[in-house]
Amino acid sequence: MTEPAIADWKSLSESKRAANNKKIPSAWRLPSSITDQISETSTLNVLDIPRTCGILTLEEVELTEKYDATALVEKMSSGEIKSYDVTLAFCKRAAIAQQLVNCLTEIFFEEALSRARQCDDYLAKEGNPIGPLHGLPISLKDSFNVKGTQTTIGYVSFLSHPPATHNSYLVDILFKAGAVFYVKTNLPQTMMTADSHNNVFGRTLNPNKLCLTAGGSTGGEGALLKLRGSVMGLATDIAGSNRIPAVCNGISSLKPTASRIPFGGGVPPGRLGSPSSILPVIGPCGHSVRDFELLMKTVIDSEPWGADENVLNVPWRKVEPVTKPLRFGLIRAHPKRPLHPPVARTLHSAATILKDAGHSIVLLDDKIPDLWESAILAWKYFLLDPKKTPVGIVNASGEPWVPSIATVGFEELAGWQASLDELWDMNVARAKILRAYKDLMVNNKLDAIIMPGYQATAVPHDTYGVPVYTVLQNLLNYPAGILPYLKATKQLDEPFFKRDAGYEPPYIPDVFEGAPGTIQLVGKPMKDEELVEIMKVVEGLLKEAS
Amino acid sequence: MTEPAIADWKSLSESKRAANNKKIPSAWRLPSSITDQISETSTLNVLDIPRTCGILTLEEVELTEKYDATALVEKMSSGEIKSYDVTLAFCKRAAIAQQLVNCLTEIFFEEALSRARQCDDYLAKEGNPIGPLHGLPISLKDSFNVKGTQTTIGYVSFLSHPPATHNSYLVDILFKAGAVFYVKTNLPQTMMTADSHNNVFGRTLNPNKLCLTAGGSTGGEGALLKLRGSVMGLATDIAGSNRIPAVCNGISSLKPTASRIPFGGGVPPGRLGSPSSILPVIGPCGHSVRDFELLMKTVIDSEPWGADENVLNVPWRKVEPVTKPLRFGLIRAHPKRPLHPPVARTLHSAATILKDAGHSIVLLDDKIPDLWESAILAWKYFLLDPKKTPVGIVNASGEPWVPSIATVGFEELAGWQASLDELWDMNVARAKILRAYKDLMVNNKLDAIIMPGYQATAVPHDTYGVPVYTVLQNLLNYPAGILPYLKATKQLDEPFFKRDAGYEPPYIPDVFEGAPGTIQLVGKPMKDEELVEIMKVVEGLLKEAS
């Protein structure tokens, strides 16, 4: 934390990026006719390029597009397809994604292919898979340690750090289960903004529309997954970092209850030892809810307390699929952050579908504690470090702040200084909020809550602001997930437009046109198993309706 | 918290005690030939008096002495015996205990008998019990709220509080399960000493030897249970308050992992909202491990998250009884608090029995983080309130500090002031300790740890000092229990005496002669179910050997 300021941080970052670039074989390079169009102001949708650019074989297109992780593992475990072929396909596609949206931080294709070969050989020799993730390529947010690769988390001053000498605990567990690691992905400076932008790796763009944010803090994953350069990725989440990229890119994600998945062994963006009541969480992002179940069950079945003493030493419970009507609470919007028309339409449509399928909806808007105040309270927990460690880390290199940093504060907290005395009062305030939501869940016999993940779809770079709709579940420590559904379509959205709503950021239909829609589902704490089953039901209904 | 100072706090306390006294019917009063002998300097053992004083019928002696809670519930649920008779027997015996050792704070015999009748009537009418605790009298530490009775927790200034208008969450759950409440029990001023002594109710004495402490903070329970004036009691524990009274009186107890049993709804001795990493816990005290299982299972099966959102929403797992050899870590002593000879003999004997039964023992003394330093760290967590709320509560009435308060500090913390900045460092220090113990448990494949609950048996009043051997499990949030075994016997203890040990408090064989011995068992976090099964094994072996 006390590195000397770096005389020429720009050239250091440039070297890092150049070294990364070299890891993409020339055969996997996009032509300049495509790359010349890439810019953060372009309205280009690049989702079709991996399929059409000619770098992937038809088989590779199929391997990367047609299956979820569960299906791939089944096929690889039976020997029907080889991990080597799957891994090669995802390496190629990740390389393409990197050229389109700048989503990668560390690239280790060779190690991945060698590991994939090892998985295939094991199966051939032993006749059974290595484990429940046999041969599966998994992408990782940069903050995970992977032995032999660097973990800079986008801090210039961390460029001087040697490659990691150990894996994050979760990485170890996934490896033992048969996973193949091939890339780490981009994130914001300090990991506390929704724009995955830092001075080491630059900015990740949204593949749906390059001029929009890919979200953060796990935006590299979000963009990579949307481009199907990965089939499953791992994200951390303390205010929405697992869910915001899912919202922005239009993929699925799950933030479990804290301490079920081992968090330790990675590189934190700030100081260790926080007395905050909000715990950081790791959760999967990807393409299907059953993949999240596979991930959760695999990790928890491994008894991860043996690796990370901060894990709750409780089993993954087998719960039955949902067979009876569910009861959903519905939270729509806070007046300070009214829903953009595409989001209002998506939520309305999803709620209607649930009702039509026989499930109940209970409107909670007027019954919940003020969402804005809850978010402010959460933000105070993020400001508890008197040493302001991330500031020191940034200043150590002389790198500037990325622009989005200035957009993620609350005016109400200008000049606010944490104190031990107020921390007691904050905990009492949080206890009241916890109590209110518990009472709502219990008294209304709710199985889950449906709500937006954000007031808008993906927004222009550096305009995301405070994540009021995702930080709530961190404050509560309720599990929550994102499911993609619909997309911004100005004609269809128009009926949901309210002239005096005071949209923030501003709603300009053409800017958002084509951006993916999503909904957020929130479960009860420690009932991740039940939330997964509920999400499967909703996922099925939304897919049918799409 | 801002009550005006009370002009004459003594007369207020005297009125409270006089009112309590009146709740003991004259037929249940001990003769002055006995009560005249009661004093805190007496060496009298009063354990036989309830049986021999003639107040209980032979049947009542049997009901209160012969069964554990599980057996009583079975007999009451089948209609073989009546809750009314059981409750009456325990009311009488509690009244006797009160006259012998001053263990009660609130007495509500009439309500209890009426509730017992209700249980009996329910069974007669419905043909099935109310619930898994049908008709069972349960005693409660004073800090629990029981609707209609006062909760002063021994603070004079709380004497002005009206009777509770709601039950603690746990009390509600137990009531629904069929429990009968009849008394609340004594505890120390501030609940942070090991002498259950306050200016409202006075001091609880140890029924094994009146001149010794009954322990704290749940000392009223400990003394009442030892006299079999209760068959099961509930204790809180943040530094040993569930286990210290078990150690001092020679009973069994279980402090589960935090947040499995609902803690909320009672009256805290200090400020709410602590950012401490040490969470208070409620656990049962009594006479058999299977009773603790009954309690834990009953409460957790009730899905207590619905009542208390701070409960971990996880089921009580069914685990199989132990059938194969276990591996125990053994922690003996810290040089600053060497084991008194009776404790060293008890621990040595218990470990030998375990080995002889085929279990393994791994000595951990030189492998664990310094116990003394761990206790100091824990103590810092108890000193985090800048408002020093308990001081204000005591000063509000003008009552003096009880003498034991001065004995429970660490010299190393003289003048120490908590700060938000140091709290981060404390959490890092705690994380290292957590990691070290986890590694020891995992690397040595340990099922549990066996260690002393304290360096001595019960000690003279106001000499207990800092509870180094019990606060550890709070710092770690590991479940732990106490089992009674042997007692101080100077001839047998003599070989364990070390001349230069520097015993603290001093070891004077005649003072401790006859005091009960105990051992402590420590399990892995969230593996309360497994610890219960392990404790059953050890309980069986120790009973065989006794």
Side-chain angles (χ1 to χ4, degrees), chain A residues 169 271-275 305-310 312-315 317 384-387 418-421 423-425 427-428 431 434-435 438 441-442 478 524-527, chain B residues 169 271-275 305-310 312-315 317 384-387 418-421 423-425 427-428 431 434-435 438 441-442 478 524-527:
Chain A
Y169 306 140
R271 182 174 175 186
L272 286 174
S274 175
W305 183 83
D308 185 347
E309 59 281 359
N310 294 307
L312 273 172
N313 211 350
V314 295
R317 288 174 292 108
L384 288 181
D385 178 9
K387 290 204 159 67
S419 74
L420 181 57
D421 191 58
L423 183 51
W424 288 71
D425 295 336
N427 286 341
V428 169
L434 279 177
R435 154 79 18 154
K438 187 272 290 175
M441 297 301 283
V442 171
Y478 279 25
K524 289 184 254 190
M526 296 307 290
K527 300 291 185 189
Chain B
Y169 306 140
R271 183 174 175 186
L272 286 173
S274 175
W305 183 81
D308 184 348
E309 59 281 0
N310 293 307
L312 273 172
N313 211 351
V314 295
R317 288 174 292 109
L384 288 181
D385 179 8
K387 290 205 160 67
S419 74
L420 182 56
D421 191 59
L423 182 51
W424 289 71
D425 295 335
N427 286 342
V428 170
L434 278 177
R435 155 81 16 156
K438 187 273 287 174
M441 297 301 282
V442 171
Y478 279 24
K524 290 183 254 189
M526 296 306 290
K527 300 291 184 189

Side-chain angles (χ1 to χ4, degrees), chain B residues 100-119:
Chain B
L100 294 171
V101 294
N102 190 42
C103 51
L104 306 183
T105 57
E106 301 291 329
I107 294 170
F108 31 104
F109 295 150
E110 284 179 28
E111 293 84 343
L113 290 167
S114 147
R115 161 70 174 167
R117 188 79 84 190
Q118 186 192 24
C119 294

Side-chain angles (χ1 to χ4, degrees), chain B residues 274-293:
Chain B
S274 175
S276 169
S277 295
I278 301 182
L279 302 173
V281 185
I282 289 172
C285 307
H287 306 297
S288 80
V289 176
R290 67 174 190 165
D291 284 358
F292 304 158
E293 183 181 18

Side-chain angles (χ1 to χ4, degrees), chain A residues 26-42:
Chain A
S26 55
W28 302 357
R29 295 205 167 269
L30 292 169
S32 58
S33 59
I34 294 174
T35 54
D36 285 353
Q37 296 181 63
I38 304 300
S39 88
E40 65 183 59
T41 54
S42 164

Side-chain angles (χ1 to χ4, degrees), chain B residues 509-537:
Chain B
D510 284 332
V511 168
F512 299 99
E513 186 68 9
T518 51
I519 59 160
Q520 182 171 209
L521 287 165
V522 184
K524 290 183 254 189
M526 296 306 290
K527 300 291 184 189
D528 306 275
E529 292 87 340
E530 284 78 0
L531 178 61
V532 161
E533 292 303 327
I534 293 166
M535 284 181 72
K536 283 183 193 167
V537 169

Side-chain angles (χ1 to χ4, degrees), chain B residues 376-532:
Chain B
I376 290 176
L377 176 60
W379 231 253
K380 288 183 175 177
Y381 282 114
F382 303 144
L383 298 171
L384 288 181
D385 179 8
K387 290 205 160 67
K388 300 189 194 307
T389 303
V391 175
I393 299 173
V394 167
N395 290 345
S397 70
E399 64 171 308
W401 292 99
V402 299
S404 59
I405 292 279
T407 69
V408 289
F410 284 86
E411 271 179 31
E412 291 89 335
L413 294 178
W416 183 80
Q417 292 284 343
S419 74
L420 182 56
D421 191 59
E422 184 168 353
L423 182 51
W424 289 71
D425 295 335
M426 287 163 56
N427 286 342
V428 170
R430 176 173 176 267
K432 282 186 189 151
I433 296 171
L434 278 177
R435 155 81 16 156
Y437 277 92
K438 187 273 287 174
D439 283 348
L440 283 174
M441 297 301 282
V442 171
N443 297 343
N444 292 293
K445 297 186 169 56
L446 300 181
D447 298 294
I449 293 171
I450 174 172
M451 61 183 292
Y454 182 54
Q455 68 266 23
T457 59
V459 292
H461 300 296
D462 303 329
T463 66
Y464 197 95
V466 285
V468 175
Y469 294 96
T470 49
V471 77
L472 172 69
Q473 299 78 22
N474 301 89
L475 183 72
L476 294 173
N477 192 17
Y478 279 24
I482 299 290
L483 291 174
Y485 180 53
L486 304 180
K487 59 180 178 178
T489 310
K490 52 190 174 183
Q491 289 97 327
L492 300 175
D493 299 334
E494 204 279 327
F496 291 85
F497 179 75
K498 291 180 184 169
R499 187 153 307 276
D500 302 319
Y503 296 114
E504 176 56 43
Y507 174 63
I508 303 159
D510 284 332
V511 168
F512 299 99
E513 186 68 9
T518 51
I519 59 160
Q520 182 171 209
L521 287 165
V522 184
K524 290 183 254 189
M526 296 306 290
K527 300 291 184 189
D528 306 275
E529 292 87 340
E530 284 78 0
L531 178 61
V532 161

